[in-house]
Amino acid sequence: NTLILLVAMAARSFTTAFVSLPRSETPTAVASHTTCVPCQRRAPADDASQPCVSVAALCLGISLGGLAAQRRSEPSCRRVLRVRAGAQKNDKGGEDDSIYKDTVLLPITEFNQRAQAATREPELQAFWKSQDIYRKLQARSNPKGSFSLHDGPPYANGSLHMGHALNKILKDSINKFKASRGYKVRYIPGWDCHGLPIELKVLQSLKSKEKKGLTPLKLREIAAKFALETVEAQKKSFERYGVWGDFEEPYLTLLPKYEAAQLGIFEEMTRGGHIYRGRKPVYWSPSTRTALAEAELEYPEGHVSQSIYVAFQTSGELPDAFSKFDGLEVAVWTTTPWTIPANRAVAVNPQLEYVVVRAKWAAEDVRPARWLVVAMGLVDDLQKLLGATLTVEFQFEGSLLEGLKYKHPIIEEMVCPVVIGGDYITTESGTGLVHTAPGHGADDYLVGQKYGLEVAAPVDDGGKFTAEVGLDSLVGANVLQDANDRVIEVLEDRGLMLLRKPYKHKYPYDWRSKKPVITRATPQWFASIDGLRAKAVEAMNDVKFIPESYSSRMRHMIDTRGDWCISRQRSWGVPIPVFYRKDNGEELLNSEVISHVRGIVAEKGSNAWFELPVAELLPESYRGDAELYDKGRDTMDVWFDSGSSWAYVKDILGTPVDLYLEGTDQHRGWFQSSLITSVAVNGRAPYKSVMTHGFCVDANGRKMSKSEGNVIDPTVIIEGGEDQKSQPALGADVLRFWAASVDFSSDVSISQGILKSTEENVRRMRNRARFILGNIHDFDASSDAIAYEDLPMVDRYIIHKAEAVFEQMTKAYEVYGFSSATKQLDKFMSLDLSAVYLDLAKDRLYVAGKSSHLRRSCQTVLRWLLVSLSQVISPVLCHLAEDIWQFLPGDKEASVFLSGWYSPFPVRAEQVEPAVEAFGRVLAVRDPVNRAMEKARAKKIIGSNLEAFAKLTVKAGTEFHAALETLATSPHQEADGVKCLVGVSQMEVVAVEALPALPEDEAELFHSENKELAVQVSVRRATELKCERCWVRCGTVSLSDAHPTLCKRCAEVVQAMGVGAAPA
């Protein structure tokens, strides 16, 4: 290139015409000659058709190798003219424009190459609002009816995290897809505004002075204010994600109308006999002093309990079977030593085999031998653990132990029985005999009810032993702090301890305070599940679970769950409308009372329960006895709040709705509470389908936490962080595309690396859209479009390819398979569209005549592709789709979302024609051709593909040969010709009966093959002249007197454009 520029600079100083010297050493005799000024050699002035040595090589003495050799086929007069026309240096050191520069139809568009999401996305969102697109979609004709997705309410207690973003984006993508498909979609976002999470936030925000004298009403006032402020903040974030919905009229669980609907469900369940008050074990959080539901627990890794093996001494006269074992003891194991004072029995499994063993330790003077009852299947394990020799003396079935008595290990005067338990007693761990405290365990409670055992729970609300513990030295000990050590000390003093061993396992923690919980019997309100269990399981038969495997998971949860504790000892919530007699504590709760309170709440809100006197809260028939009653202080479980949401939205969305979509933890939470309340009231599930997604984890699969430093804030992804270089503003579409591209049926990973890759995918999509927009700027679909039957094969090929992908995407969207849809789209965009069609289209778009059939046919397809592409990406990449749409030329709807879903190309053959199939087969030859060209390029024989000549040797009679012949019949060879398909300037096809052995590569000839296609490829440098405008090397270059550096096609195009003759 430097050499050529030197020649050009030298040539600019002279006005003499440059000519060439023929290859023959003897100059051809012609009428006139001219002189080459740099070297003063004579050459014919009018012989421009024969190849000759270039002026550069001739004048500067360069050998015919390297760069000069690449140009030996080009007459020097043509080369110099091209230098003068296109690459001359002007007086200021810049390049003069070629006279053909403006004849190349380069892309023109104002569509930005960069997303500039931080500013452009809010502009598009403002456009949607100003045009009221969401409402217009509901108001228009909806041929497919309605689609209802009911939003599960997030807690209004803090900033949003990646789980919120994943959830809301998936919901919005589904809604936008359904709306585009012709459904009426109304999305009512909701928020859970009551309960412990918010109350704790409020209490943590108050100073010590403010907490003193804090009344329930004052706390509720502060909590409501906090919740509403949080709702507003979260609302803005959701809208910034691009989520559409009734954000001006969301449902909030603190609204009087909502609270009244919730009390309506409570009333119906009370009328149906499903609500009762009882004293039974519940999860209790000493840190927050309230009962908790299973869904309010978490099980962090790494919890270590103090497990103990204890021997309980038998009491009284032993049954005959055990009479010879004087001093017999039953061995038990527990991971909660603090529950030993509440022990009221030892349970055994009647299906297991038990044994009496003689346990001996090496140092008998320190640890005397003892008779122990243990499960036969655990003898070997216990022998290792206890460090003793266990000799089996007697084997028997577990049922033989029933009725055996033993001395209580703490309360000396108490004697307890051995009872029959259930299949929860196994030989997986422990001793096979289970310490049973009915006040501290669900299974223990059930066994205790069967045998009439006392439900002892000598623990107060703060987790400390009360006087009922039975031993003065234990009173006041905290069961989560020092109580275990104190109990163990007592057992050791009494000689009952066999072993103390740390035990690592999963243990329940309060999900808000992050502190351990206990199981404790307290008076609580419950929803009976036994009366609803069968109906709930039956109702699930009509529900579609996505993924299907979660159906059995939730069924198991319903089958095995106990009664639902719905009361909470907190102030911030919907009150349980019960009254208690002052004299005996008898409760007053019936439909009449609830209905009256519900009417008050509907008008004044649930604060009325705390504000009004008992007389006003009681119905007329009870007001005369108002002085006899106190109001209850318990509030409802927040899962009862959210589980009632279907009742609030049913008048708008109907019931059952089409879809519930939440995280996998909601199988034991909102999905289940909604099912129970709906079955109790309506006898059916509130949803037709239930879909779940996993949790967000980092690239290593770890749960996100501040302590790990792996938390990613969705707001930072969208708006960027403090350091915009390391945390640039990627925009909502990148976040949305990530949400759609992951397999959310299990936990999903997100990291900076994943986001960078996602951004690159979106950027490539944007650039391809920009390319298309730039190349259809002068296209009017109403007048310029070409009918399908008149399109070249390559156009019809990409139409069929695109339609197949768009149909697959549509089917994937229908079943909420977003990751499948995005993968199909990415593959099509990268392989079929970008690497093939757009690459082949450039020649037609840039150098063909502006209004030529060749160019208009391509533009016809490009516009249809871009319209369709905008429509199929709109559910996920809503901002990009709208941005493209706003720059789309021609008549169109105001928004891509008002344009409907993609439509197949108009009036085309329903089946793929043989010619299109043939084109697809021939495409496969690009690979061996490219391999051969890469060899030539590596040896610097060619630069671009257009400098190549390719020869195809094919086996006659094959499908590939037939496909080549089909392409040869196309009337649009400038689009469908094989040389256009592979991108070379010259092509030769030879058919043979049998392929020879692949030749070895030569100095300037390179080979490759594809045995499956039965084709061999040979590539060398093309020998024809290079067209200055299109760069194709062909035999028609120089035939035009007016434009001697152009090929015939380009000469005709520029002539039609009115471009004058090239300067001499």
Side-chain angles (χ1 to χ4, degrees):
N1 289 334
T2 302
L3 180 61
I4 296 169
L5 289 175
L6 286 170
V7 173
M9 292 171 67
R12 193 176 184 282
S13 302
F14 304 98
T15 57
T16 308
F18 294 116
V19 294
S20 59
L21 181 69
R23 269 189 189 174
S24 170
E25 298 221 355
T26 306
T28 304
V30 292
S32 62
H33 286 69
T34 189
T35 302
C36 176
V37 176
C39 65
Q40 297 297 308
R41 291 198 183 192
R42 299 277 294 170
D46 60 351
D47 188 355
S49 62
Q50 298 184 46
C52 66
V53 179
S54 72
V55 171
L58 177 64
C59 300
L60 302 182
I62 297 175
S63 66
L64 298 180
L67 178 62
Q70 295 182 35
R71 308 190 183 279
R72 73 179 66 167
S73 65
E74 188 172 357
S76 59
C77 56
R78 297 293 172 254
R79 174 63 190 151
V80 173
L81 179 61
R82 182 151 60 83
V83 171
R84 289 174 60 198
Q88 285 188 9
K89 293 292 182 180
N90 59 32
D91 293 337
K92 295 182 179 180
E95 288 190 355
D96 288 332
D97 289 342
S98 165
I99 62 170
Y100 303 121
K101 176 182 178 182
D102 293 335
T103 69
V104 177
L105 304 175
L106 297 177
I108 300 174
T109 181
E110 294 182 3
F111 184 75
N112 207 305
Q113 184 176 1
R114 298 183 181 276
Q116 296 182 326
T119 55
R120 184 57 176 159
E121 287 182 348
E123 289 174 357
L124 292 168
Q125 292 171 1
F127 166 77
W128 291 329
K129 283 192 175 182
S130 68
Q131 296 294 311
D132 207 12
I133 302 300
Y134 172 66
R135 297 295 177 191
K136 286 179 179 177
L137 286 170
Q138 296 173 36
R140 70 178 184 178
S141 174
N142 300 109
K144 294 197 174 182
S146 297
F147 173 80
S148 52
L149 188 159
H150 180 32
D151 186 36
Y155 276 111
N157 71 326
S159 300
L160 300 178
H161 53 66
M162 285 304 305
H164 292 118
L166 174 66
N167 179 260
K168 282 297 189 289
I169 288 170
L170 289 176
K171 290 174 179 175
D172 186 65
S173 297
I174 291 172
N175 283 335
K176 283 188 168 77
F177 168 71
K178 291 293 186 180
S180 296
R181 290 288 282 164
Y183 290 89
K184 181 177 181 179
V185 177
R186 187 169 178 187
Y187 176 66
I188 306 173
W191 275 270
D192 213 335
C193 301
H194 287 139
L196 180 62
I198 294 169
E199 188 170 333
L200 281 180
K201 284 275 189 178
V202 169
L203 292 173
Q204 291 166 4
S205 69
L206 297 177
K207 298 177 182 179
S208 299
K209 292 181 181 179
E210 294 173 319
K211 291 180 182 179
K212 291 181 179 179
L214 184 66
T215 64
L217 263 177
K218 183 62 178 176
L219 187 147
R220 288 173 63 85
E221 177 186 331
I222 300 172
K225 182 175 181 292
F226 174 86
L228 291 173
E229 289 174 351
T230 304
V231 166
E232 286 303 310
Q234 291 187 1
K235 184 190 301 183
K236 291 178 181 178
S237 294
F238 287 143
E239 290 186 289
R240 184 61 186 89
Y241 298 167
V243 177
W244 290 354
D246 287 17
F247 283 101
E248 301 306 315
E249 298 181 84
Y251 77 83
L252 309 177
T253 60
L254 57 68
L255 294 175
K257 183 180 177 182
Y258 188 101
E259 294 173 329
Q262 179 176 333
L263 287 173
I265 292 175
F266 183 77
E267 179 183 346
E268 288 298 318
M269 293 182 70
T270 301
R271 184 182 291 114
H274 303 300
I275 303 297
Y276 71 94
R277 189 169 188 254
R279 187 173 184 273
K280 57 195 299 186
V282 296
Y283 289 113
W284 182 270
S285 174
S287 59
T288 54
R289 294 174 177 260
T290 186
L292 296 176
E294 172 68 30
E296 296 171 300
L297 305 176
E298 58 185 19
Y299 294 82
E301 300 290 341
H303 180 88
V304 177
S305 295
Q306 288 297 324
S307 72
I308 57 173
Y309 292 80
V310 187
F312 292 171
Q313 299 172 346
T314 57
S315 175
E317 185 177 349
L318 292 175
D320 291 344
F322 304 103
S323 59
K324 65 178 181 179
F325 304 115
D326 188 35
L328 182 66
E329 298 171 302
V330 290
V332 300
W333 173 72
T334 181
T335 60
T336 53
W338 63 266
T339 62
I340 291 291
N343 175 275
R344 292 299 182 267
V346 167
V348 296
N349 187 336
Q351 305 301 319
L352 294 181
E353 288 289 312
Y354 289 83
V355 293
V356 175
V357 298
R358 184 65 170 171
K360 290 186 177 182
W361 285 265
E364 281 198 60
D365 56 335
V366 178
R367 298 195 68 176
R370 54 206 309 169
W371 298 105
L372 298 174
V373 177
V374 297
M376 178 65 188
L378 287 165
V379 170
D380 292 340
D381 291 342
L382 288 170
Q383 191 165 242
K384 295 174 184 177
L385 280 169
L386 300 178
T389 301
L390 303 184
T391 304
V392 175
E393 299 290 344
F394 176 47
Q395 183 172 343
F396 54 92
E397 291 183 354
S399 56
L400 192 61
L401 287 167
E402 185 177 20
L404 190 69
K405 305 291 184 181
Y406 65 90
K407 300 175 183 178
H408 193 281
I410 300 295
I411 306 172
E412 294 182 345
E413 65 274 13
M414 182 178 290
V415 175
C416 302
V418 175
V419 299
I420 299 299
D423 56 9
Y424 64 91
I425 303 171
T426 69
T427 56
E428 292 181 1
S429 59
T431 65
L433 296 93
V434 175
H435 144 62
T436 301
H440 293 301
D443 290 327
D444 298 19
Y445 176 81
L446 294 176
V447 171
Q449 292 294 293
K450 178 181 176 181
Y451 285 90
L453 303 177
E454 178 191 7
V455 183
V459 180
D460 66 15
D461 292 353
K464 294 182 179 181
F465 279 140
T466 63
E468 288 77 21
V469 72
L471 195 64
D472 290 344
S473 62
L474 296 179
V475 175
N478 190 301
V479 299
L480 293 175
Q481 295 174 13
D482 59 337
N484 281 335
D485 289 337
R486 289 209 214 173
V487 169
I488 291 172
E489 185 179 348
V490 172
L491 296 174
E492 287 176 338
D493 289 345
R494 297 182 178 183
L496 303 178
M497 281 289 296
L498 296 174
L499 178 68
R500 174 177 183 171
K501 181 179 175 61
Y503 183 70
K504 187 176 181 180
H505 64 135
K506 288 189 175 182
Y507 187 87
Y509 278 61
D510 185 326
W511 68 336
R512 290 304 166 189
S513 68
K514 308 300 180 183
K515 300 290 180 62
V517 304
I518 62 175
T519 305
R520 171 189 178 227
T522 61
Q524 300 289 342
W525 286 95
F526 295 88
S528 174
I529 301 302
D530 287 340
L532 299 171
R533 197 184 315 276
K535 290 181 180 179
V537 172
E538 183 181 356
M540 289 173 62
N541 293 331
D542 298 324
V543 178
K544 180 179 180 181
F545 284 83
I546 307 170
E548 176 61 32
S549 58
Y550 284 116
S551 172
S552 57
R553 178 187 183 188
M554 190 162 161
R555 286 175 187 274
H556 177 72
M557 289 179 175
I558 295 292
D559 279 334
T560 58
R561 77 165 291 165
D563 287 349
W564 178 9
C565 177
I566 62 170
S567 53
R568 295 292 181 270
Q569 289 65 54
R570 309 303 303 184
S571 299
W572 181 228
V574 176
I576 295 178
V578 61
F579 300 88
Y580 299 99
R581 283 188 65 97
K582 295 176 181 179
D583 54 355
N584 58 16
E586 181 182 345
E587 61 263 11
L588 172 62
L589 181 71
N590 54 44
S591 295
E592 183 183 359
V593 170
I594 300 171
S595 179
H596 180 73
V597 173
R598 178 162 59 88
I600 295 174
V601 169
E603 180 183 352
K604 300 181 179 181
S606 58
N607 274 358
W609 180 261
F610 299 86
E611 295 170 337
L612 299 179
V614 171
E616 291 187 40
L617 292 170
L618 283 169
E620 187 67 33
S621 59
Y622 291 97
R623 284 181 187 169
D625 296 329
E627 293 184 357
L628 301 177
Y629 290 97
D630 282 330
K631 292 181 286 187
R633 296 181 179 180
D634 291 345
T635 55
M636 290 191 194
D637 175 18
V638 289
W639 292 109
F640 201 101
D641 285 25
S642 59
S644 304
S645 60
W646 58 264
Y648 180 80
V649 300
K650 67 179 181 179
D651 291 340
I652 302 172
L653 302 182
T655 185
V657 297
D658 291 300
L659 182 65
Y660 272 36
L661 166 57
E662 301 298 331
T664 53
D665 57 333
Q666 296 308 315
H667 288 109
R668 62 179 182 143
W670 188 55
F671 296 156
Q672 200 171 134
S673 63
S674 298
L675 176 67
I676 291 170
T677 56
S678 181
V679 166
V681 176
N682 301 320
R684 63 169 183 263
Y687 36 67
K688 298 175 184 176
S689 297
V690 167
M691 180 171 151
T692 50
H693 59 76
F695 295 106
C696 295
V697 295
D698 66 14
N700 298 314
R702 297 176 303 172
K703 182 181 178 181
M704 290 189 175
S705 67
K706 291 181 180 179
S707 61
E708 291 286 348
N710 62 352
V711 174
I712 295 180
D713 186 345
T715 300
V716 173
I717 294 174
I718 295 172
E719 305 293 351
E722 293 181 4
D723 182 0
Q724 289 283 316
K725 288 186 177 180
S726 61
Q727 293 179 316
L730 302 181
D733 267 4
V734 170
L735 186 61
R736 292 176 69 96
F737 197 69
W738 164 80
S741 61
V742 296
D743 178 9
F744 51 79
S745 62
S746 56
D747 288 349
V748 296
S749 297
I750 187 166
S751 65
Q752 294 300 331
I754 292 171
L755 287 170
K756 185 177 180 180
S757 175
T758 305
E759 180 200 15
E760 182 64 20
N761 285 338
V762 177
R763 185 191 63 79
R764 285 198 299 265
M765 206 174 304
R766 182 178 189 85
N767 285 344
R768 287 158 188 160
R770 184 172 184 266
F771 174 86
I772 296 175
L773 282 170
N775 282 289
I776 61 172
H777 68 93
D778 61 345
F779 178 77
D780 185 342
S782 64
S783 59
D784 299 333
I786 304 298
Y788 179 84
E789 61 270 19
D790 296 325
L791 295 175
M793 292 182 190
V794 62
D795 293 337
R796 285 180 276 166
Y797 169 80
I798 198 63
I799 287 171
H800 283 281
K801 276 285 186 179
E803 287 183 347
V805 170
F806 296 156
E807 286 296 332
Q808 290 169 357
M809 290 180 67
T810 302
K811 291 178 181 178
Y813 281 146
E814 290 284 5
V815 295
Y816 315 129
F818 291 103
S819 62
S820 173
T822 55
K823 285 181 176 65
Q824 292 165 11
L825 176 65
D826 185 61
K827 182 179 178 182
F828 168 74
M829 295 283 284
S830 300
L831 301 181
D832 297 309
L833 185 61
S834 182
V836 177
Y837 187 73
L838 297 185
D839 184 53
L840 299 180
K842 291 174 184 176
D843 182 75
R844 298 162 65 187
L845 294 168
Y846 295 170
V847 300
K850 179 177 181 180
S851 300
S852 65
H853 181 282
L854 195 64
R855 187 164 181 269
R856 292 305 192 202
S857 61
C858 187
Q859 289 180 312
T860 300
V861 175
L862 286 178
R863 191 181 193 281
W864 172 81
L865 277 170
L866 193 57
V867 168
S868 301
L869 179 65
S870 301
Q871 291 166 332
V872 298
I873 68 171
S874 63
V876 176
L877 296 171
C878 53
H879 302 94
L880 176 58
E882 191 66 80
D883 207 5
I884 293 170
W885 193 265
Q886 294 307 313
F887 284 89
L888 191 69
D891 294 335
K892 61 191 177 186
E893 294 283 355
S895 167
V896 65
F897 294 101
L898 298 177
S899 68
W901 195 238
Y902 116 91
S903 297
F905 194 88
V907 194
R908 66 157 179 82
E910 292 188 7
Q911 301 298 322
V912 180
E913 308 102 304
V916 175
E917 291 181 336
F919 188 89
R921 289 195 188 97
V922 175
L923 272 179
V925 82
R926 286 165 61 95
D927 178 60
V929 170
N930 285 336
R931 281 191 278 113
M933 284 196 291
E934 282 305 314
K935 292 181 182 180
R937 191 174 289 111
K939 296 295 184 180
K940 301 190 183 304
I941 299 303
I942 65 170
S944 72
N945 290 1
L946 287 175
E947 292 179 342
F949 169 93
K951 177 182 177 181
L952 303 185
T953 303
V954 301
K955 183 177 180 181
T958 62
E959 284 189 351
F960 179 69
H961 181 219
L964 286 172
E965 290 185 326
T966 299
L967 257 66
T969 65
S970 170
H972 309 289
Q973 284 301 301
E974 289 183 339
D976 295 334
V978 182
K979 69 176 183 178
C980 299
L981 189 149
V982 297
V984 299
S985 285
Q986 296 171 270
M987 170 72 74
E988 180 184 4
V989 178
V990 177
V992 297
E993 291 300 320
L995 290 178
L998 187 69
E1000 294 290 331
D1001 292 339
E1002 301 175 22
E1004 296 187 2
L1005 188 63
F1006 303 89
H1007 309 279
S1008 67
E1009 68 178 340
N1010 184 311
K1011 293 183 179 179
E1012 185 178 348
L1013 297 178
V1015 61
Q1016 292 179 350
V1017 178
S1018 300
V1019 168
R1020 60 174 173 80
R1021 184 175 178 79
T1023 58
E1024 299 291 351
L1025 306 182
K1026 180 178 180 180
C1027 175
E1028 179 185 347
R1029 183 170 177 271
C1030 69
W1031 298 1
V1032 172
R1033 294 177 177 271
C1034 64
T1036 65
V1037 176
S1038 80
L1039 295 184
S1040 170
D1041 291 335
H1043 304 283
T1045 61
L1046 304 187
C1047 66
K1048 182 176 181 294
R1049 177 186 64 169
C1050 287
E1052 291 174 351
V1053 170
V1054 299
Q1055 193 76 31
M1057 297 173 73
V1059 179

